[in-house]
Amino acid sequence: MGTESVVRKAIYTVLIILLCLPLQGCMQVALRATPSLFPNVAATIFEECDPELAEASIPPNLKLMEGLLKSDPENRKILTTLSMGFAGYSLLFIEPEDPERASAMYLRALEYGTRALGEKGAPLRNRDGGLEPVRAMLKNMDPNDLEALFWTTLSWNAWINLNLDKPSALAQLSASEACLRRVLELDEHFFYSAPHILMGASLAARPPILGGSPEKARIHFEQALQENHRKFYLAQVYLAKYYAVRVQDKELFARTLAEVVHGNPRELQDVCLINRVMQRRAQELVKQAEDLFL
């Protein structure tokens, strides 16, 4: 759907909402009458090739959706979009500069994602319950739960990776990895094979004593690169940052990042924003090479 169509739907929805303001229950009807609006608005953000414009646009859009959510607290589309929005905003713009703030953003995304999963997400809202309730919950997940489960899992894993020095985060590793494995089972190709990229980063980032395995990580990265035809730059940047640094392969690090730096981020228009930001991230990593390799 083009930007013009999304804007028309947004205007239509806003008009209905304004008319509904005085009427009890009408707001819920208006929000549910346009179920595709919120994912499509989020999609236009990922299509934006200007990172500065996107960075400025995301927060007000997220606050608008949080306001709409108050009128329909169980709206799965809004909850999933909020999970995606806070996770994406943190990953692209916050994490490199402010890991502490990024942690808070990932927890916010995680909360919205577990709410989007409804009753199935209950064990994820009480993450102190251990692995078995999560495993039982995951057996009941189906393709209709995939998008919400993916963004929930991405947020959870990202928060853990930023807090590996905390016992509370380490205690959640097994459950979060079980969620990621279930995402892979449901659709390993989702979002340009992002489940493989996340698994590769998770396995490469952790030491063997915590279940890490560079060899298995490389397999997941290669799978993602093959399936997205090396056009989704998150795979190359994470391969360089997590795997190449872990195994101290400086040649792979330089070659992979050069591919991103000299690539065309518009080859995948629907994720142009991610590719543009990853292109900048690659340039920054290249400058850090001397500090990352012995």
Side-chain angles (χ1 to χ4, degrees), residues 41 46 61 70 187 196 216 267 270 278 293:
V41 169
F46 283 136
N61 275 287
K70 290 182 180 295
D187 186 359
H196 280 294
K216 292 179 181 178
E267 283 194 281
D270 55 339
M278 288 301 114
F293 293 88

mmCIF file with all atom_site columns, all heavy atoms in Angstrom, residues 41 46 61 70 187 196 216 267 270 278 293:
data_model
loop_
_atom_site.group_PDB
_atom_site.id
_atom_site.type_symbol
_atom_site.label_atom_id
_atom_site.label_alt_id
_atom_site.label_comp_id
_atom_site.label_asym_id
_atom_site.label_entity_id
_atom_site.label_seq_id
_atom_site.pdbx_PDB_ins_code
_atom_site.Cartn_x
_atom_site.Cartn_y
_atom_site.Cartn_z
_atom_site.occupancy
_atom_site.B_iso_or_equiv
_atom_site.pdbx_formal_charge
_atom_site.auth_seq_id
_atom_site.auth_comp_id
_atom_site.auth_asym_id
_atom_site.auth_atom_id
_atom_site.pdbx_PDB_model_num
ATOM 1  N N   . VAL A 1 41  ? 0.903  2.310   8.874  1.00 0.00 ? 41  VAL A N   1
ATOM 2  C CA  . VAL A 1 41  ? 1.613  3.512   9.306  1.00 0.00 ? 41  VAL A CA  1
ATOM 3  C C   . VAL A 1 41  ? 3.030  3.139   9.729  1.00 0.00 ? 41  VAL A C   1
ATOM 4  O O   . VAL A 1 41  ? 4.000  3.819   9.391  1.00 0.00 ? 41  VAL A O   1
ATOM 5  C CB  . VAL A 1 41  ? 0.855  4.203   10.457 1.00 0.00 ? 41  VAL A CB  1
ATOM 6  C CG1 . VAL A 1 41  ? 1.722  5.286   11.090 1.00 0.00 ? 41  VAL A CG1 1
ATOM 7  C CG2 . VAL A 1 41  ? -0.445 4.811   9.945  1.00 0.00 ? 41  VAL A CG2 1
ATOM 8  N N   . PHE A 1 46  ? 9.412  2.325   8.247  1.00 0.00 ? 46  PHE A N   1
ATOM 9  C CA  . PHE A 1 46  ? 10.521 1.487   7.796  1.00 0.00 ? 46  PHE A CA  1
ATOM 10 C C   . PHE A 1 46  ? 10.905 1.782   6.354  1.00 0.00 ? 46  PHE A C   1
ATOM 11 O O   . PHE A 1 46  ? 12.037 1.545   5.945  1.00 0.00 ? 46  PHE A O   1
ATOM 12 C CB  . PHE A 1 46  ? 10.180 0.006   7.948  1.00 0.00 ? 46  PHE A CB  1
ATOM 13 C CG  . PHE A 1 46  ? 10.283 -0.510  9.355  1.00 0.00 ? 46  PHE A CG  1
ATOM 14 C CD1 . PHE A 1 46  ? 9.303  -1.341  9.879  1.00 0.00 ? 46  PHE A CD1 1
ATOM 15 C CD2 . PHE A 1 46  ? 11.361 -0.179  10.156 1.00 0.00 ? 46  PHE A CD2 1
ATOM 16 C CE1 . PHE A 1 46  ? 9.393  -1.822  11.178 1.00 0.00 ? 46  PHE A CE1 1
ATOM 17 C CE2 . PHE A 1 46  ? 11.466 -0.651  11.454 1.00 0.00 ? 46  PHE A CE2 1
ATOM 18 C CZ  . PHE A 1 46  ? 10.474 -1.464  11.974 1.00 0.00 ? 46  PHE A CZ  1
ATOM 19 N N   . ASN A 1 61  ? 4.417  9.472   16.791 1.00 0.00 ? 61  ASN A N   1
ATOM 20 C CA  . ASN A 1 61  ? 3.509  8.430   16.330 1.00 0.00 ? 61  ASN A CA  1
ATOM 21 C C   . ASN A 1 61  ? 3.255  7.391   17.419 1.00 0.00 ? 61  ASN A C   1
ATOM 22 O O   . ASN A 1 61  ? 2.129  6.904   17.586 1.00 0.00 ? 61  ASN A O   1
ATOM 23 C CB  . ASN A 1 61  ? 4.077  7.756   15.079 1.00 0.00 ? 61  ASN A CB  1
ATOM 24 C CG  . ASN A 1 61  ? 3.742  8.502   13.805 1.00 0.00 ? 61  ASN A CG  1
ATOM 25 O OD1 . ASN A 1 61  ? 2.616  8.493   13.340 1.00 0.00 ? 61  ASN A OD1 1
ATOM 26 N ND2 . ASN A 1 61  ? 4.724  9.195   13.247 1.00 0.00 ? 61  ASN A ND2 1
ATOM 27 N N   . LYS A 1 70  ? -5.662 3.655   24.878 1.00 0.00 ? 70  LYS A N   1
ATOM 28 C CA  . LYS A 1 70  ? -6.469 3.853   26.084 1.00 0.00 ? 70  LYS A CA  1
ATOM 29 C C   . LYS A 1 70  ? -7.951 3.657   25.811 1.00 0.00 ? 70  LYS A C   1
ATOM 30 O O   . LYS A 1 70  ? -8.716 3.293   26.700 1.00 0.00 ? 70  LYS A O   1
ATOM 31 C CB  . LYS A 1 70  ? -6.222 5.248   26.660 1.00 0.00 ? 70  LYS A CB  1
ATOM 32 C CG  . LYS A 1 70  ? -4.836 5.432   27.278 1.00 0.00 ? 70  LYS A CG  1
ATOM 33 C CD  . LYS A 1 70  ? -4.675 6.810   27.879 1.00 0.00 ? 70  LYS A CD  1
ATOM 34 C CE  . LYS A 1 70  ? -3.293 6.997   28.484 1.00 0.00 ? 70  LYS A CE  1
ATOM 35 N NZ  . LYS A 1 70  ? -3.059 6.096   29.635 1.00 0.00 ? 70  LYS A NZ  1
ATOM 36 N N   . ASP A 1 187 ? 7.998  -19.489 11.333 1.00 0.00 ? 187 ASP A N   1
ATOM 37 C CA  . ASP A 1 187 ? 8.369  -18.928 10.024 1.00 0.00 ? 187 ASP A CA  1
ATOM 38 C C   . ASP A 1 187 ? 9.792  -18.388 10.092 1.00 0.00 ? 187 ASP A C   1
ATOM 39 O O   . ASP A 1 187 ? 10.023 -17.234 10.482 1.00 0.00 ? 187 ASP A O   1
ATOM 40 C CB  . ASP A 1 187 ? 7.409  -17.815 9.608  1.00 0.00 ? 187 ASP A CB  1
ATOM 41 C CG  . ASP A 1 187 ? 7.679  -17.308 8.192  1.00 0.00 ? 187 ASP A CG  1
ATOM 42 O OD1 . ASP A 1 187 ? 8.622  -17.817 7.551  1.00 0.00 ? 187 ASP A OD1 1
ATOM 43 O OD2 . ASP A 1 187 ? 6.955  -16.402 7.731  1.00 0.00 ? 187 ASP A OD2 1
ATOM 44 N N   . HIS A 1 196 ? 16.667 -15.813 12.075 1.00 0.00 ? 196 HIS A N   1
ATOM 45 C CA  . HIS A 1 196 ? 18.011 -16.396 11.971 1.00 0.00 ? 196 HIS A CA  1
ATOM 46 C C   . HIS A 1 196 ? 19.075 -15.380 12.403 1.00 0.00 ? 196 HIS A C   1
ATOM 47 O O   . HIS A 1 196 ? 20.065 -15.743 13.052 1.00 0.00 ? 196 HIS A O   1
ATOM 48 C CB  . HIS A 1 196 ? 18.285 -16.844 10.538 1.00 0.00 ? 196 HIS A CB  1
ATOM 49 C CG  . HIS A 1 196 ? 17.678 -18.165 10.188 1.00 0.00 ? 196 HIS A CG  1
ATOM 50 N ND1 . HIS A 1 196 ? 18.078 -19.348 10.764 1.00 0.00 ? 196 HIS A ND1 1
ATOM 51 C CD2 . HIS A 1 196 ? 16.677 -18.485 9.313  1.00 0.00 ? 196 HIS A CD2 1
ATOM 52 C CE1 . HIS A 1 196 ? 17.371 -20.345 10.264 1.00 0.00 ? 196 HIS A CE1 1
ATOM 53 N NE2 . HIS A 1 196 ? 16.511 -19.850 9.383  1.00 0.00 ? 196 HIS A NE2 1
ATOM 54 N N   . LYS A 1 216 ? 27.497 -22.473 15.568 1.00 0.00 ? 216 LYS A N   1
ATOM 55 C CA  . LYS A 1 216 ? 26.061 -22.472 15.262 1.00 0.00 ? 216 LYS A CA  1
ATOM 56 C C   . LYS A 1 216 ? 25.600 -21.091 14.832 1.00 0.00 ? 216 LYS A C   1
ATOM 57 O O   . LYS A 1 216 ? 24.728 -20.956 13.962 1.00 0.00 ? 216 LYS A O   1
ATOM 58 C CB  . LYS A 1 216 ? 25.271 -22.942 16.480 1.00 0.00 ? 216 LYS A CB  1
ATOM 59 C CG  . LYS A 1 216 ? 25.486 -24.408 16.835 1.00 0.00 ? 216 LYS A CG  1
ATOM 60 C CD  . LYS A 1 216 ? 24.691 -24.796 18.077 1.00 0.00 ? 216 LYS A CD  1
ATOM 61 C CE  . LYS A 1 216 ? 24.920 -26.250 18.453 1.00 0.00 ? 216 LYS A CE  1
ATOM 62 N NZ  . LYS A 1 216 ? 24.191 -26.631 19.690 1.00 0.00 ? 216 LYS A NZ  1
ATOM 63 N N   . GLU A 1 267 ? 17.616 -1.082  -2.274 1.00 0.00 ? 267 GLU A N   1
ATOM 64 C CA  . GLU A 1 267 ? 17.270 -2.331  -2.963 1.00 0.00 ? 267 GLU A CA  1
ATOM 65 C C   . GLU A 1 267 ? 16.099 -3.034  -2.293 1.00 0.00 ? 267 GLU A C   1
ATOM 66 O O   . GLU A 1 267 ? 15.352 -3.748  -2.952 1.00 0.00 ? 267 GLU A O   1
ATOM 67 C CB  . GLU A 1 267 ? 18.485 -3.260  -3.014 1.00 0.00 ? 267 GLU A CB  1
ATOM 68 C CG  . GLU A 1 267 ? 19.503 -2.868  -4.065 1.00 0.00 ? 267 GLU A CG  1
ATOM 69 C CD  . GLU A 1 267 ? 20.506 -3.978  -4.315 1.00 0.00 ? 267 GLU A CD  1
ATOM 70 O OE1 . GLU A 1 267 ? 21.442 -4.121  -3.496 1.00 0.00 ? 267 GLU A OE1 1
ATOM 71 O OE2 . GLU A 1 267 ? 20.338 -4.696  -5.318 1.00 0.00 ? 267 GLU A OE2 1
ATOM 72 N N   . ASP A 1 270 ? 11.114 -1.490  1.389  1.00 0.00 ? 270 ASP A N   1
ATOM 73 C CA  . ASP A 1 270 ? 10.264 -1.555  2.583  1.00 0.00 ? 270 ASP A CA  1
ATOM 74 C C   . ASP A 1 270 ? 11.064 -1.610  3.883  1.00 0.00 ? 270 ASP A C   1
ATOM 75 O O   . ASP A 1 270 ? 10.483 -1.494  4.962  1.00 0.00 ? 270 ASP A O   1
ATOM 76 C CB  . ASP A 1 270 ? 9.297  -2.738  2.502  1.00 0.00 ? 270 ASP A CB  1
ATOM 77 C CG  . ASP A 1 270 ? 9.992  -4.061  2.267  1.00 0.00 ? 270 ASP A CG  1
ATOM 78 O OD1 . ASP A 1 270 ? 11.132 -4.054  1.784  1.00 0.00 ? 270 ASP A OD1 1
ATOM 79 O OD2 . ASP A 1 270 ? 9.393  -5.112  2.584  1.00 0.00 ? 270 ASP A OD2 1
ATOM 80 N N   . MET A 1 278 ? 21.893 0.780   9.260  1.00 0.00 ? 278 MET A N   1
ATOM 81 C CA  . MET A 1 278 ? 22.945 -0.240  9.324  1.00 0.00 ? 278 MET A CA  1
ATOM 82 C C   . MET A 1 278 ? 24.167 0.173   8.514  1.00 0.00 ? 278 MET A C   1
ATOM 83 O O   . MET A 1 278 ? 25.302 -0.153  8.858  1.00 0.00 ? 278 MET A O   1
ATOM 84 C CB  . MET A 1 278 ? 22.410 -1.587  8.824  1.00 0.00 ? 278 MET A CB  1
ATOM 85 C CG  . MET A 1 278 ? 21.436 -2.255  9.769  1.00 0.00 ? 278 MET A CG  1
ATOM 86 S SD  . MET A 1 278 ? 22.131 -2.582  11.411 1.00 0.00 ? 278 MET A SD  1
ATOM 87 C CE  . MET A 1 278 ? 21.118 -1.469  12.423 1.00 0.00 ? 278 MET A CE  1
ATOM 88 N N   . PHE A 1 293 ? 40.047 -5.871  17.549 1.00 0.00 ? 293 PHE A N   1
ATOM 89 C CA  . PHE A 1 293 ? 40.850 -7.028  17.203 1.00 0.00 ? 293 PHE A CA  1
ATOM 90 C C   . PHE A 1 293 ? 42.237 -6.914  17.825 1.00 0.00 ? 293 PHE A C   1
ATOM 91 O O   . PHE A 1 293 ? 42.836 -5.851  17.833 1.00 0.00 ? 293 PHE A O   1
ATOM 92 C CB  . PHE A 1 293 ? 40.955 -7.182  15.683 1.00 0.00 ? 293 PHE A CB  1
ATOM 93 C CG  . PHE A 1 293 ? 39.637 -7.526  15.033 1.00 0.00 ? 293 PHE A CG  1
ATOM 94 C CD1 . PHE A 1 293 ? 38.766 -6.517  14.644 1.00 0.00 ? 293 PHE A CD1 1
ATOM 95 C CD2 . PHE A 1 293 ? 39.261 -8.838  14.856 1.00 0.00 ? 293 PHE A CD2 1
ATOM 96 C CE1 . PHE A 1 293 ? 37.543 -6.815  14.076 1.00 0.00 ? 293 PHE A CE1 1
ATOM 97 C CE2 . PHE A 1 293 ? 38.038 -9.162  14.282 1.00 0.00 ? 293 PHE A CE2 1
ATOM 98 C CZ  . PHE A 1 293 ? 37.180 -8.140  13.899 1.00 0.00 ? 293 PHE A CZ  1
#
